[in-house]
């Protein structure tokens, strides 16, 4: 993918000037001081609301702006997919092979394929409310914007308009500090899966832990004493499946401050813990009836207010989940706190440690609240 330019940054900046991509004099593209690869740094202090750069629509690489845009439009029907990515991928393959591609200096900043750790960050423009959300909006490559690295506590945000995209500072950025965008509210397991990196604990405020739905079923079954109780528990589970609250492959998602799958977990705890007679009545009503939340929401600080039977089932489910890890929390904490030992781990081992440690911290916090 290399284009032979001895200074790819200089070539990219020259290209930016030609296509009207305007960078503020207060920022610079650099590999020095960044958390990973290329990034954008503040050459001078930046205030919240300041414009960092402007990307004209013509500089964006998409199925509409590439040199085979006409062909992709003609074959639109054959290229449809649920994700909407196929036309962009074909556009990228074509432009990467075209020696005279308009985006050649932009490609020069991309890692060589042999050293690629994660995919380049692609943007997907938000749909307007009146647009049909069944039609996925086309992803696109945005030069300059995809140079920015990600943080949950980001200090810049991309704004969309009819003729351009603008990166704007969302908080003051001191001189010499890196400028960060957000790739979305993503847990560390999502970041490593999609982009090949994680945020070290405790930086990722969007981190989550999963409790597999079938683990809650297993915990509930452990509490049965007779075959009749066991069969009734399976009946409850099947009813929850019918209500589409649970599934064999699903998971309850727990954040640091709230349960992201609140309705599903609340309903599951309710159905699995309610007395048999109450369940029969609830089932006869097909899950309807009084829907008021007398037990409170599942914000993390409300967990201690739940019914004792709910808390016990949740606690047993957490304990079963923690047993699926090969190491315990203390072991991971000891490695993280020992810089010498941590440094001996490979990059992948360090990332895996950060992922599971963040998950275990959430689960242990929840465990304390259910005691």
């Amino acid at each position: 993918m290399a284009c032979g330019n001895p200074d790819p940054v200089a070539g990219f900046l020259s290209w930016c000037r030609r296509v009207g991509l305007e960078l503020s004099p207060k920022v610079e593209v650099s590999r020095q001081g960044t958390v990973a690869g290329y990034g954008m740094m503040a050459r001078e202090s930046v205030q919240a609301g300041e414009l960092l750069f402007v990307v004209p629509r013509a500089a964006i690489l998409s199925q509409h702006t590439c040199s085979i845009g006409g062909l992709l439009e003609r074959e639109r029907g054959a290229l449809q997919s649920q994700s909407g990515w196929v036309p962009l991928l074909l556009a990228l393959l074509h432009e990467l092979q075209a020696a005279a591609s308009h985006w050649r200096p932009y490609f020069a900043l991309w890692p060589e394929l042999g050293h690629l750790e994660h995919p380049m960050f692609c943007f997907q423009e938000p749909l307007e409310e009146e647009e049909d959300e069944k039609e996925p909006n086309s992803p696109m490559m945005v030069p300059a914007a995809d140079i920015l690295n990600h943080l949950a506590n980001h200090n810049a945000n991309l704004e969309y308009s009819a003729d351009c995209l603008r990166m704007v500072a969302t908080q003051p950025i001191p001189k010499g500090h890196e400028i960060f965008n957000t790739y979305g509210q993503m847990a560390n397991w999502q970041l490593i899966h999609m982009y090949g990196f994680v945020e070290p604990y405790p930086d990722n405020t969007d981190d989550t832990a999963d409790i597999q739905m079938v683990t809650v079923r297993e915990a509930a079954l452990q509490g049965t004493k007779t075959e009749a109780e066991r069969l009734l528990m399976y009946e409850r589970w099947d009813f929850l499946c019918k209500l589409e609250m649970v599934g064999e492959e699903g998971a309850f998602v727990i954040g640091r401050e709230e349960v992201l799958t609140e309705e599903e977990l609340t309903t599951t705890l309710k159905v699995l813990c309610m007395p048999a007679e109450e369940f029969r009545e609830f089932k006869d009503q097909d899950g309807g009836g009084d829907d008021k939340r007398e037990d409170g929401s599942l914000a993390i600080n409300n967990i201690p207010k739940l019914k004792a039977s709910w808390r016990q089932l949740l606690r047993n489910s957490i304990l079963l989940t923690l047993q699926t890890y090969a190491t315990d929390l203390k072991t991971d904490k000891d490695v993280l706190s020992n810089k010498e030992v941590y440094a001996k781990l490979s990059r992948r081992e360090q990332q895996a440690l950060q992922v599971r440690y963040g998950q275990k911290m959430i689960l242990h916090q929840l465990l304390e609240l259910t005691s």
Side-chain angles (χ1 to χ4, degrees):
M1 207 183 295
C3 63
N5 191 327
D7 188 349
V9 173
F12 173 70
L13 295 177
S14 177
W15 177 82
C16 288
R17 290 189 289 270
R18 291 198 304 273
V19 300
L21 197 163
E22 303 173 16
L23 273 71
S24 165
K26 291 187 175 183
V27 305
E28 64 179 345
V29 178
S30 175
R31 294 183 72 98
Q32 303 298 317
T34 62
V35 295
Y38 285 109
M40 191 167 287
M41 308 292 294
R43 300 174 62 181
E44 301 176 27
S45 295
V46 175
Q47 298 303 312
E50 279 197 60
L51 186 64
L52 303 174
F53 56 82
V54 179
V55 185
R57 291 276 178 177
I60 295 170
L61 174 51
S62 72
Q63 66 191 69
H64 307 295
T65 59
C66 69
S67 56
I68 57 170
L71 174 61
L72 295 176
E73 180 61 29
R74 288 194 300 274
E75 300 298 328
R76 180 180 180 184
L79 302 177
Q80 287 185 346
S81 66
Q82 188 174 2
S83 69
W85 279 75
V86 174
L88 176 61
L89 293 175
L90 291 174
L92 283 171
L93 287 171
H94 174 78
E95 296 296 339
L96 286 167
Q97 298 299 319
S101 173
H102 172 63
W103 286 275
R104 204 70 187 162
Y106 166 51
F107 297 151
L109 291 184
W110 293 19
E112 294 288 341
L113 289 176
H115 300 92
L116 191 61
E117 288 286 346
H118 56 83
M120 208 65 171
F121 175 39
C122 303
F123 294 82
Q124 201 155 5
E125 188 167 1
L127 288 167
E128 297 294 334
E129 289 185 7
E130 62 270 15
E131 292 186 60
D132 184 4
E133 294 190 10
K134 293 181 180 179
E135 287 291 329
N137 220 4
S138 302
M140 54 192 178
M141 303 299 298
V142 185
D146 54 17
I147 290 174
L148 271 63
N149 288 309
H150 161 94
L151 272 186
N153 184 27
H154 55 286
N155 51 24
N157 188 55
L158 193 62
E159 298 179 353
Y160 298 80
S161 66
D163 57 345
C164 65
L165 280 63
R166 297 179 176 88
M167 189 67 73
V168 178
T170 57
Q171 56 182 276
I173 306 171
K175 177 181 178 180
H177 283 226
E178 187 168 359
I179 299 166
F180 292 98
N181 191 13
T182 174
Y183 299 174
Q185 291 184 316
M186 293 190 175
N188 268 345
W189 73 264
Q190 293 171 303
L191 288 173
I192 197 171
H193 175 70
M194 297 179 67
Y195 301 103
F197 70 92
V198 299
E199 290 192 62
Y201 185 84
D203 295 348
N204 190 352
T205 53
D206 295 322
D207 211 1
T208 64
D210 286 358
I211 298 175
Q212 298 300 311
M213 291 177 172
V214 292
T215 299
V216 179
R217 181 183 66 190
E218 181 182 350
L221 287 168
Q222 287 181 351
T224 59
K225 297 182 177 63
T226 66
E227 182 63 19
E229 289 180 354
R230 184 177 179 84
L231 291 174
L232 179 58
M233 193 59 70
Y234 275 112
E235 184 181 346
R236 295 170 189 253
W237 181 262
D238 291 341
F239 182 66
L240 286 167
C241 290
K242 178 184 174 183
L243 294 178
E244 297 185 344
M245 290 294 160
V246 298
E248 295 296 314
E249 303 297 327
F252 300 113
V253 185
I254 318 296
R256 290 189 183 180
E257 297 183 358
E258 62 181 341
V259 177
L260 277 66
T261 52
E262 178 182 351
E263 181 183 4
E264 291 84 353
L265 183 55
T266 301
T267 304
T268 299
L269 294 175
K270 175 181 179 179
V271 170
L272 296 183
C273 293
M274 63 174 49
E277 286 296 323
E278 187 179 338
F279 169 66
R280 295 299 181 197
E281 182 179 345
F282 186 72
K283 186 178 180 182
D284 289 342
Q285 295 175 347
D286 211 19
D290 188 4
D291 197 34
K292 66 180 181 180
R293 292 282 180 86
E294 53 188 350
D295 297 288
S297 71
L298 279 192
I300 296 301
N301 58 6
N302 281 335
I303 296 294
K305 303 175 186 177
L306 296 177
K307 291 180 179 180
S309 59
W310 293 27
R311 292 201 312 273
Q312 188 60 52
L313 177 55
L314 184 56
R315 181 178 182 81
N316 292 341
S317 302
I318 297 165
L319 291 170
L320 287 176
T321 300
L322 288 170
Q323 290 176 15
T324 64
Y325 291 93
T327 57
D328 59 21
L329 183 67
K330 184 181 183 303
T331 300
D332 289 344
K333 186 176 182 179
D334 289 344
V335 175
L336 279 172
S337 60
N338 190 321
K339 294 182 179 179
E340 185 176 340
V341 173
Y342 184 75
K344 291 180 180 179
L345 299 177
S346 69
R347 180 171 179 269
R348 293 302 187 193
E349 289 172 329
Q350 291 176 352
Q351 291 175 328
L353 175 58
Q354 293 286 354
V355 169
R356 67 175 182 266
Y357 185 73
Q359 292 174 344
K360 290 177 188 176
M361 286 296 290
I362 292 173
L363 292 170
H364 274 271
Q365 177 194 16
L366 204 57
L367 197 62
E368 291 179 8
L369 294 172
T370 59
S371 61

